[in-house]
Amino acid sequence: MQDQTFSRLAFCATLASWVAISCAPAESDSNNDGGGGATSTSSVSSASGSGVATSSGSASGSGGATSSSTTVAGTGGDNSGGSGGAEPTGSGGDGTGGWPEGAIPMGNAPVPSAGCGKATTLTTKEYTISSSGQNRVYYVDMPRNYDMNKPYRLFYTSHWIGSRWQDVEGQDFYFLKPQMEADGEQAIFVAPSSDGATWQEKDHALFDDIMALMNENVCYDTTRVFATGFSFGGMITYSLSTNHQAEIRAAVGIAPANYNIWLPEKTRKPIAWMHTTGMSDGTCPWVNNEAQKRGAKFIALEKAEDNGCTIPDQIPTSNGAYSCYDFQDCDPEHPTRVCTFGGGHTNIDGNPNWIPIESWKFFKQF
């Protein structure tokens, strides 16, 4: 684990590198003020304590009401980067996966992908795929002693601004992998790299193409495909969640925003959703513009509405230790949760790091 001094130095260096493309006045109407940032562009993970920014970006946050709830403390762990590899067999195509029309009950029996029961050529390494006329890079992390007859959970993990898949792999996929292993579980992790600094419209097609290839080549549970990401990674996670509800069972946005990211026409269909926001986050704030409904608060309200939840007069938030609010009366298949804390723009808060703990708790209920 890198210490906090190194993390702050890494953040300052990154901020200087990315400020030109990712910062703009918080209350402007510009679509060029980025949300999200990188702690590093190497394959080594970085960390920050509560309130220490880990990326560059724009927007100013506003405060919110406080609440008391279950809290934990912690620091995140880190890991080393992975190795590269050759192109896989097969190619991308139309999106696949998902389930029949209608809500899938909690704890449903797995629905195997087309790749179940077949030997796979995929191993843990980097691959390339043709998508939207380009060769795109992504990384696959396969379970140890992979069983071609076992439908695994599959996590689609997106990096923050200016980083690559190596940064996500270096953090053990937002620290979810060690949480799962502690519970005796394994999963397939996919981590794509953006074409440049940020995620774009064509990255929806990239998701479809990668998932089509995965469907044919590995055994996973098509009803337990999950998405997560930090900062700009949280923003593309949110973007995908607005029209890929048939493919993604649940998603966790870590410090996301609902602006300065390409958004499709929203289907407004339900999807299980959770996100985290530091109430002093000036990059992807709780509220950027109340009138324009820009900010993490409005992601929570949108998901709560889509999921049939009761909308409170005011969402309880915390400016101290983290507090998670579960919206009430939601569709039983689509829990909706938001966790706030008195920190800044980070995916690492406390000792132990509660963000992956709560993320895994959210994902494993399905």
Side-chain angles (χ1 to χ4, degrees):
M1 168 68 71
Q2 299 166 323
D3 61 28
Q4 291 187 358
T5 299
F6 181 83
S7 299
R8 290 180 174 89
L9 291 173
F11 163 65
C12 292
T14 303
L15 179 61
S17 300
W18 291 102
V19 67
I21 64 168
S22 63
C23 291
E27 295 296 332
S28 74
D29 294 329
S30 169
N31 269 337
N32 297 318
D33 53 331
T39 58
S40 166
T41 55
S42 71
S43 62
V44 180
S45 69
S46 61
S48 67
S50 174
V52 179
T54 59
S55 62
S56 61
S58 69
S60 61
S62 64
T66 61
S67 67
S68 60
S69 185
T70 303
T71 61
V72 297
T75 59
D78 61 12
N79 196 2
S80 59
S83 59
E87 294 186 11
T89 58
S91 61
D94 295 333
T96 188
W99 50 85
E101 287 297 322
I104 297 300
M106 304 292 277
N108 66 285
V111 178
S113 63
C116 290
K118 301 188 298 186
T120 183
T121 60
L122 295 180
T123 59
T124 297
K125 61 184 180 182
E126 178 186 280
Y127 294 95
T128 60
I129 188 171
S130 177
S131 182
S132 300
Q134 292 181 295
N135 286 330
R136 299 293 299 275
V137 175
Y138 66 103
Y139 183 81
V140 176
D141 186 271
M142 294 289 285
R144 296 185 307 275
N145 303 315
Y146 169 76
D147 182 348
M148 67 180 183
N149 296 307
K150 178 180 178 178
Y152 293 90
R153 295 179 180 89
L154 188 149
F155 288 86
Y156 192 85
T157 58
S158 301
H159 63 72
W160 52 97
I161 192 172
S163 57
R164 310 292 289 168
W165 67 255
Q166 289 91 337
D167 299 283
V168 175
E169 190 275 340
Q171 286 191 343
D172 271 336
F173 307 96
Y174 295 112
F175 311 107
L176 282 169
K177 188 176 178 180
Q179 291 292 322
M180 295 185 65
E181 291 179 344
D183 278 350
E185 299 285 347
Q186 294 191 73
I188 298 168
F189 290 91
V190 177
S193 288
S194 65
D195 176 30
T198 63
W199 298 104
Q200 305 166 44
E201 177 179 356
K202 61 187 173 184
D203 295 309
H204 275 239
L206 178 64
F207 172 87
D208 294 335
D209 292 337
I210 289 176
M211 289 307 302
L213 185 145
M214 299 301 289
N215 183 66
E216 294 296 327
N217 286 276
V218 298
C219 186
Y220 69 92
D221 182 352
T222 62
T223 66
R224 288 178 176 88
V225 174
F226 303 122
T228 190
F230 163 60
S231 193
F232 234 103
M235 292 163 68
I236 185 62
T237 298
Y238 165 68
S239 181
L240 287 168
S241 79
T242 65
N243 74 341
H244 278 76
Q245 296 93 330
E247 291 78 31
I248 300 171
R249 177 73 173 271
V252 172
I254 306 171
N258 62 347
Y259 57 97
N260 298 328
I261 183 73
W262 181 80
L263 293 173
E265 181 178 353
K266 299 177 183 179
T267 66
R268 302 306 301 264
K269 293 181 179 180
I271 183 173
W273 177 264
M274 169 184 155
H275 75 256
T276 69
T277 297
M279 296 306 290
S280 60
D281 188 342
T283 301
C284 295
W286 182 243
V287 174
N288 171 262
N289 187 303
E290 186 80 34
Q292 297 177 9
K293 297 183 178 181
R294 289 169 38 156
K297 167 186 172 182
F298 303 102
I299 295 178
L301 292 173
E302 175 186 304
K303 296 304 185 185
E305 182 178 343
D306 292 349
N307 293 342
C309 311
T310 296
I311 308 299
D313 292 336
Q314 186 172 357
I315 300 173
T317 59
S318 175
N319 279 299
Y322 88 91
S323 174
C324 292
Y325 175 73
D326 294 293
F327 284 87
Q328 301 300 300
D329 306 316
C330 305
D331 301 337
E333 306 86 0
H334 304 115
T336 309
R337 159 178 272 219
V338 60
C339 299
T340 56
F341 61 101
H345 191 64
T346 183
N347 67 337
I348 302 169
D349 184 75
N351 184 10
N353 183 14
W354 62 265
I355 295 175
I357 293 173
E358 292 292 344
S359 295
W360 171 233
K361 185 188 302 182
F362 186 77
F363 285 131
K364 74 178 179 180
Q365 67 185 310
F366 297 98

